[in-house]
Amino acid sequence: MRPPRGITLLQGLSGLEASLAPWRSRRGGLGLVPTMGALHAGHLSLVAQSRRRSACTLVSIFVNPTQFGPGEDYGRYPRTLAADLKLLSGQGPLIVLAPSAADMYPAGHATRVSVESPLAQVLEGAHRPGHFAGVATVVAKLLSLAGPCTAFFGEKDWQQLQVIRRMAQDLRLPAKIHGCPIIREADGLAMSSRNAYLSAGERALAPRLKASLDLALARLKAGDSGAAACRKARAFLERGGHFKAGYLVLADAETLQAPRKGKPRRLLAAAALGKTRLIDNLAA
Ligand code: AMP
């Protein structure tokens, strides 16, 4: 596949170090934006942040099998490399790494990075056993391939961001982890590659998830306890019978456990809309 001008496309790991090396000593150094592709404006905002701070950005496009559980959507996850490259054109200098599963996990690969913190065991961790170990393993590997860099992650996956921060700190990886705000559609729906699964009818209902978080925030501001605010927001979300809430909670923003006095808090929600599972979160 021929990439647009300003983009170096690597569909395997060979040649990666040679492509990265000239940028390491440049002012700003390397930025890394890990993605699973099916790019949208949320991903592009990470690339834009990296561009502002880094001499060159490495965008990885890899649908990582180890972070999908059995019965999840690994097989049908959208794979749209040509369209992704088109979207990235004009954002250079860019190196796009789109390896195969065999490149990332060759025969004999036997190492797994697991963040053994309660942080990784609740919410998404509880619903998707093994998910964060899959994420941590692939991100550790990408950070190792990138070398010293600033890595950009979306707050859309708030818990994932905290897990990655923990891992990078624990392993003393030579990477700065930079969180980027959630990019939303005009009606509030957080952009996500999985939104493509929604039928037209479901798409029209989808903003209710963000609206339920807004309601919880309003109730907190009005003096409700966290539990009461979340109960009302959950009832609102499920009214009409379209959404089935997985969780809708107020948590400590860093530990994802019970809120701590004087520390930042986060409202986090996951819900199924038909066969599609959506997640969202909000500062509280
Ligand atoms: P994904 O391709 O879904 O694995 O996402 C790759 C990166 O893009 C992750 O750091 C996500 O948190 C981030 N991301 C996905 N959607 C959004 C969004 N709507 N706003 C900001 N960042 C996002």
Side-chain angles (χ1 to χ4, degrees):
M1 194 174 300
R2 243 179 93 119
R5 257 179 34 173
I7 299 182
T8 302
L9 173 64
L10 300 170
Q11 294 190 269
L13 302 185
S14 64
L16 178 61
E17 183 47 35
S19 299
L20 297 178
W23 299 103
R24 293 194 194 286
S25 52
R26 298 276 287 267
R27 220 184 121 185
L30 273 172
L32 171 66
V33 177
T35 81
M36 297 206 297
L39 300 184
H40 51 66
H43 298 113
L44 294 184
S45 76
L46 270 51
V47 174
Q49 293 258 10
S50 175
R51 253 187 117 199
R52 235 170 276 145
R53 291 174 168 78
S54 327
C56 176
T57 299
L58 172 62
V59 177
S60 62
I61 297 181
F62 178 58
V63 185
N64 174 35
T66 65
Q67 70 187 71
F68 289 79
E72 288 188 0
D73 55 343
Y74 175 67
R76 68 181 181 121
Y77 197 87
R79 289 160 172 86
T80 59
L81 184 57
D84 291 348
L85 291 171
K86 224 181 234 174
L87 273 178
L88 289 170
S89 68
Q91 311 293 314
L94 278 183
I95 299 165
V96 174
L97 175 66
S100 68
D103 291 321
M104 292 298 278
Y105 301 109
H109 188 286
T111 300
R112 207 167 73 121
V113 178
S114 173
V115 174
E116 301 284 310
S117 160
L119 151 70
Q121 280 150 20
V122 294
L123 309 180
E124 291 305 288
H127 182 80
R128 306 179 70 186
H131 170 67
F132 284 129
V135 169
T137 302
V138 79
V139 172
K141 195 149 182 166
L142 290 168
L143 288 172
S144 165
L145 289 165
C149 68
T150 305
F152 297 83
F153 295 90
E155 292 181 350
K156 158 84 181 8
D157 301 282
W158 181 266
Q159 189 178 9
Q160 168 178 287
L161 175 60
Q162 309 315 313
V163 169
I164 288 167
R165 282 193 199 288
R166 181 78 260 160
M167 176 196 66
Q169 195 177 323
D170 290 352
L171 299 181
R172 291 197 153 241
L173 298 176
K176 277 195 213 112
I177 307 299
H178 192 101
C180 303
I182 302 174
I183 304 300
R184 299 180 179 281
E185 304 285 358
D187 58 11
L189 176 65
M191 290 192 184
S192 164
S193 307
R194 289 192 168 96
N195 292 349
Y197 298 154
L198 299 171
S199 68
E202 289 166 345
R203 174 62 191 82
L205 294 163
R208 197 171 183 91
L209 182 59
K210 163 68 161 49
S212 70
L213 291 172
D214 288 336
L215 173 66
L217 186 60
R219 291 314 313 159
L220 288 172
K221 286 189 173 153
D224 276 11
S225 68
C230 290
R231 193 173 358 95
K232 287 171 192 167
R234 194 180 168 121
F236 166 79
L237 177 62
E238 292 190 327
R239 202 170 299 149
H242 299 290
F243 270 102
K244 176 90 193 77
Y247 57 80
L248 197 163
V249 296
L250 177 68
D252 180 89
E254 190 188 330
T255 66
L256 279 312
Q257 308 298 302
R260 294 176 292 175
K261 220 178 169 149
K263 299 281 187 187
R265 301 181 307 175
R266 205 88 192 168
L267 283 160
L268 302 109
L273 178 55
K275 288 199 171 102
T276 306
R277 189 163 174 280
L278 302 176
I279 61 171
D280 203 345
N281 67 87
L282 212 61

